Amino acid sequence: MVENRPFLAILSHLILILGVAMVALPVWITFVGASHEAERMLQTPIPMWPGDQFFVNLKQTFWGSGLTGTSIAPVWMMMFNSLLMALMIAFGKIAISLLSAFAIVYFKFPFRMGFFWMIFITLMLPVEVRILPTFEVVADLGMLNSYWGLTIPLIASATATFMFRQVFLTIPDEMLESARIDGAGPMRFFWDILIPLSRTNIAALFVILFIYGWNQYLWPLLITTDADMSTIVVSIKQMLEAAEQSPEWNIIMMIALLAMVPPIFVVIAMQKLFVQGLTETDK
Amino acid sequence: MAGIKLDTLTKSYGDTQVLHHIDAEIEDGEFVVIVGPSGCGKSTLLRMVAGLESVTSGNVHIGDKRVNDLEPADRDIAMVFQNYALYPHMSVRDNMAYGLKIRKLSKAEIDRRVNEAAEILEIGQYLDRKPRQLSGGQRQRVAMGRAIVRDPQVFLFDEPLSNLDAKLRVQMRLEIRKLQKRLGVTSIFVTHDQVEAMTLGDRLMVLNGGYVEQFGTPIELYERPASIFVAGFIGSPSMNFLSGAANAGQVTLSNGTTIATGSTASGEVLLGVRPEHLKPEENGPFKMTIEMLEHLGGVTLLHGVLDGTDTQIVASLNGITDHQVGDQVSFAAKQSHLHLFDAKSEKRIEE
């Protein structure tokens, strides 16, 4: 494996380049599509190089008429909905799983392990499996077409609870004892010691959960009927349906491109913490 | 300042009793070392004083206060842990100030105390570093500093030196001793290292299997060990034990040699004599053939088997000697250096 032959180096680079190209091609086409006039996108062959209409399309998407012939909300509102939903899911999941992991690791109460396994078993029940009962509950609570309805059913997280439990277990007991001698109560210990010590793990989880929240499709599709509540990922699908009648591919591609920006931004901004949080084991 | 009183203290985990009726009075300003092999319950005892373990029965008093049901923070103690337990995300200054902040002391008072402790421990230039940027010895000092700033009535040390290398350990040992004398704070120090125990403690409590074997000054423990366990534990290399029968002021060893002890005891006994008390003497009662030599420079250790028995004995002679492996050597020891223990109860037989 440590052989240093030029041929092998070239071959492995070729394979990697091929892989990158396969992943990047659709993104490139999206970008190219977003930079041409609507008419150009209907001619064959489709263009492979960017046109000069990128900013014109951008402006039209945000401030212009947007996509004609559909009743979708303005793009900024869809992005805002998506952002709010992703943030609420990420923060909600982190807050709840931090607290439940804290309870499971640091408190002795009857059926502690029972509760832990109950939480763990919910791994087998993602929203897709329990979609009808969950919808029923949310509808009965009058949370259809609201941010709460969008996020609360997705907030409970067994994975994150499990991960924080593992993180807390690596923190030496002396840390708790030391804090007790210093006079810190449980919540003080939680805030002053546990949260700062799990900082990188929280960041890593935030990245994963933000993208998870941003990419939600089925649940928002079901629970939001009001155009003002629709998220950008759901809207893209609706726009494709609209495209059957008046295919404004340049605008659709632009919206798809915009939908990619926040997750990319989050990943780039938190890259360092993300890697640390997933790889560092020493506390 | 306050003394500590342990009153028939016991600790059980379920049906297993790990500490049996510990009674002790520790005076104000005294430095007591609890020493024993691993698993003897010494850390548990310390943690009970700290309030980190519950008391099964009996009482712990600090000063005049019964503290059984008090939280650690309310007992006016400070503890130094084996792995230091510094908060890794806080600077040295914040580590030391954390407990004071929780107690809501004024900013000025906190600064004053932290700076004072930093000066005593000479860690002033590290105050803004994180613990991971410090060496083991420096972390040790910070852990001590965290204890000092609280200005507690009692210091508790849970094997704080065992993570340091040998040289640093000796140095920190002296510093802890000096610091404790200077501050005059009652201290309990747990260790498994008998040298550490002998050098640090005003008094030593030797624990074995949850029982106190002996509680006394280092010299008392060395000169008059109360049991075979203490005799073997204190002193290095450890004491030689020779089985024999006592009768009318003398002991007959299993090889037939008789040794005058001046004791009126009779029956099966173990005769104890420390390696450093064996002096070469022609026609001395302890005859052995040397099997191995250890030259340590200052002393030479002669290992061998007592003639006519299969009992291993060690003699420690000053300086470098010219003995060879295979030599037969005879030793004698002063009567005052002989220790008699009952073979059954393993307790000391008083003269």
Side-chain angles (χ1 to χ4, degrees):
Chain A
M1 296 304 282
V2 287
E3 279 178 278
N4 189 11
R5 283 196 225 150
F7 170 71
L8 282 178
I10 291 168
L11 186 72
S12 46
H13 276 87
L14 271 178
I15 292 172
L16 288 173
I17 289 167
L18 197 70
V20 170
M22 279 167 72
V23 174
L25 186 68
V27 181
W28 175 251
I29 301 268
T30 312
F31 171 67
V32 170
S35 64
H36 283 277
E37 287 166 22
E39 292 76 31
R40 175 69 187 85
M41 290 306 293
L42 293 174
Q43 298 159 9
T44 47
I46 56 159
M48 287 309 286
W49 297 105
D52 52 3
Q53 299 293 304
F54 186 81
F55 291 101
V56 177
N57 288 337
L58 186 67
K59 207 172 146 196
Q60 204 205 333
T61 310
F62 264 108
W63 291 283
S65 52
L67 204 60
T68 48
T70 56
S71 57
I72 59 167
V75 173
W76 65 264
M77 184 169 245
M78 295 190 299
M79 288 196 74
F80 175 77
N81 288 343
S82 275
L83 189 70
L84 198 64
M85 179 179 71
L87 286 176
M88 279 171 79
I89 289 176
F91 280 114
K93 269 180 186 280
I94 287 173
I96 287 190
S97 47
L98 269 172
L99 283 170
S100 27
F102 180 50
I104 284 165
V105 175
Y106 286 99
F107 290 87
K108 282 196 184 118
F109 52 90
F111 311 116
R112 185 164 67 137
M113 285 322 279
F115 279 107
F116 173 67
W117 287 112
M118 267 165 65
I119 293 174
F120 204 75
I121 279 172
T122 62
L123 270 180
M124 290 190 270
L125 301 168
V127 100
E128 289 77 7
V129 176
R130 54 185 163 90
I131 199 147
L132 283 176
T134 310
F135 182 84
E136 181 67 21
V137 169
V138 170
D140 287 352
L141 288 173
M143 293 198 295
L144 294 177
N145 279 317
S146 73
Y147 292 117
W148 298 117
L150 265 181
T151 52
I152 286 179
L154 299 172
I155 271 180
S157 171
T159 330
T161 306
F162 185 70
M163 193 180 121
F164 282 125
R165 172 180 177 265
Q166 298 310 105
V167 171
F168 291 169
L169 288 178
T170 64
I171 295 174
D173 290 343
E174 281 87 350
M175 215 58 80
L176 172 68
E177 290 169 353
S178 190
R180 275 180 73 188
I181 290 177
D182 272 338
M187 284 325 281
R188 185 106 204 212
F189 172 70
F190 181 70
W191 273 116
D192 289 354
I193 315 288
L194 279 187
I195 302 255
L197 284 183
S198 343
R199 198 181 110 244
T200 52
N201 307 85
I202 293 175
L205 215 61
F206 176 80
V207 173
I208 294 171
L209 295 179
F210 181 86
I211 293 170
Y212 166 84
W214 183 269
N215 288 342
Q216 279 304 312
Y217 178 71
L218 185 58
W219 183 248
L221 185 68
L222 225 88
I223 198 127
T224 58
T225 46
D226 195 342
D228 282 353
M229 287 301 298
S230 64
T231 64
I232 197 157
V233 176
V234 173
S235 310
I236 290 172
K237 173 72 172 67
Q238 287 170 349
M239 280 184 290
L240 287 181
E241 281 161 12
E244 307 265 305
Q245 298 136 30
S246 60
E248 282 184 88
W249 282 107
N250 53 341
I251 305 291
I252 295 172
M253 291 299 190
M254 180 59 80
I255 293 176
L257 212 55
L258 287 172
M260 282 183 236
V261 170
I264 291 175
F265 179 75
V266 166
V267 169
I268 291 176
M270 305 189 77
Q271 198 176 20
K272 207 175 140 202
L273 283 173
F274 180 72
V275 174
Q276 267 178 23
L278 292 183
T279 52
E280 136 196 290
T281 50
D282 196 29
K283 284 292 154 205
Chain B
M1 295 299 134
I4 301 169
K5 192 165 155 234
L6 308 179
D7 174 21
T8 56
L9 202 57
T10 58
K11 176 73 187 175
S12 307
Y13 294 109
D15 291 338
T16 337
Q17 197 168 0
V18 292
L19 286 173
H20 307 264
H21 298 283
I22 310 281
D23 282 293
E25 278 199 48
I26 297 167
E27 279 164 38
D28 184 16
E30 201 175 12
F31 198 132
V32 167
V33 177
I34 304 177
V35 64
S38 42
C40 70
K42 54 191 191 301
S43 282
T44 310
L45 180 56
L46 189 81
R47 292 161 58 82
M48 282 165 85
V49 177
L52 297 171
E53 296 274 354
S54 62
V55 170
T56 307
S57 73
N59 292 309
V60 180
H61 294 268
I62 295 178
D64 321 318
K65 234 186 343 185
R66 180 176 171 277
V67 296
N68 283 28
D69 307 316
L70 289 184
E71 268 292 297
D74 303 326
R75 295 190 179 196
D76 211 358
I77 51 146
M79 188 154 168
V80 179
F81 293 90
Q82 180 171 1
N83 60 6
Y84 320 133
L86 300 174
Y87 310 124
H89 58 292
M90 294 188 196
S91 69
V92 168
R93 186 190 299 277
D94 290 340
N95 259 292
M96 283 160 68
Y98 185 61
L100 305 181
K101 274 184 197 152
I102 290 177
R103 285 201 270 168
K104 299 207 165 55
L105 266 64
S106 73
K107 186 95 181 48
E109 174 68 8
I110 293 176
D111 280 348
R112 191 187 64 74
R113 288 204 195 181
V114 169
N115 289 333
E116 197 179 281
E119 198 175 311
I120 294 175
L121 294 161
E122 296 166 8
I123 50 174
Q125 68 266 44
Y126 311 124
L127 279 181
D128 295 314
R129 293 205 194 159
K130 293 276 170 62
R132 82 171 75 89
Q133 295 165 300
L134 302 177
S135 69
Q138 289 162 346
R139 282 183 213 185
Q140 176 65 60
R141 279 164 205 263
V142 176
M144 302 267 305
R146 191 163 63 167
I148 292 174
V149 289
R150 306 185 41 135
D151 195 14
Q153 294 199 337
V154 177
F155 280 148
L156 302 172
F157 299 91
D158 191 2
E159 309 205 22
L161 302 180
S162 45
N163 283 354
L164 301 178
D165 63 54
K167 198 175 158 201
L168 203 53
R169 200 180 302 173
V170 174
Q171 189 194 335
M172 284 308 291
R173 194 167 80 198
L174 289 173
E175 282 188 29
I176 288 180
R177 180 70 179 148
K178 269 193 256 171
L179 193 67
Q180 195 269 344
K181 281 284 156 270
R182 174 169 161 191
L183 300 172
V185 179
T186 315
S187 303
I188 304 182
F189 188 105
V190 161
T191 179
H192 58 264
D193 180 339
Q194 56 100 5
V195 180
E196 225 166 86
M198 295 286 279
T199 50
L200 275 173
D202 293 320
R203 279 196 294 163
L204 268 56
M205 178 187 280
V206 183
L207 273 186
N208 182 27
Y211 290 95
V212 177
E213 291 273 341
Q214 193 170 6
F215 187 28
T217 65
I219 301 303
E220 268 169 37
L221 264 64
Y222 181 81
E223 289 187 335
R224 301 180 57 79
S227 65
I228 289 182
F229 179 81
V230 179
F233 196 77
I234 302 295
S236 171
S238 60
M239 188 184 273
N240 299 304
F241 296 105
L242 313 168
S243 56
N247 193 11
Q250 59 183 26
V251 171
T252 311
L253 296 183
S254 49
N255 62 358
T257 318
T258 58
I259 295 159
T261 59
S263 165
T264 53
S266 62
E268 292 287 302
V269 294
L270 281 177
L271 178 71
V273 57
R274 293 195 182 277
E276 57 271 33
H277 291 152
L278 287 172
K279 301 291 172 209
E281 192 179 297
E282 251 177 85
N283 305 322
F286 306 101
K287 291 188 178 60
M288 75 174 215
T289 310
I290 298 172
E291 287 181 338
M292 196 177 70
L293 286 162
E294 282 182 305
H295 291 287
L296 301 181
V299 293
T300 302
L301 302 182
L302 312 182
H303 296 262
V305 175
L306 189 69
D307 283 359
T309 68
D310 52 8
T311 313
Q312 287 281 341
I313 57 172
V314 185
S316 167
L317 304 180
N318 280 331
I320 297 165
T321 65
D322 53 4
H323 291 99
Q324 299 295 322
V325 171
D327 286 1
Q328 213 187 33
V329 207
S330 298
F331 294 99
K334 279 194 219 159
Q335 215 175 65
S336 61
H337 286 155
L338 299 176
H339 307 267
L340 275 186
F341 301 95
D342 189 291
K344 280 218 178 58
S345 70
E346 305 203 332
K347 296 288 175 223
R348 182 183 187 85
I349 300 171
E350 295 297 337
E351 287 86 60

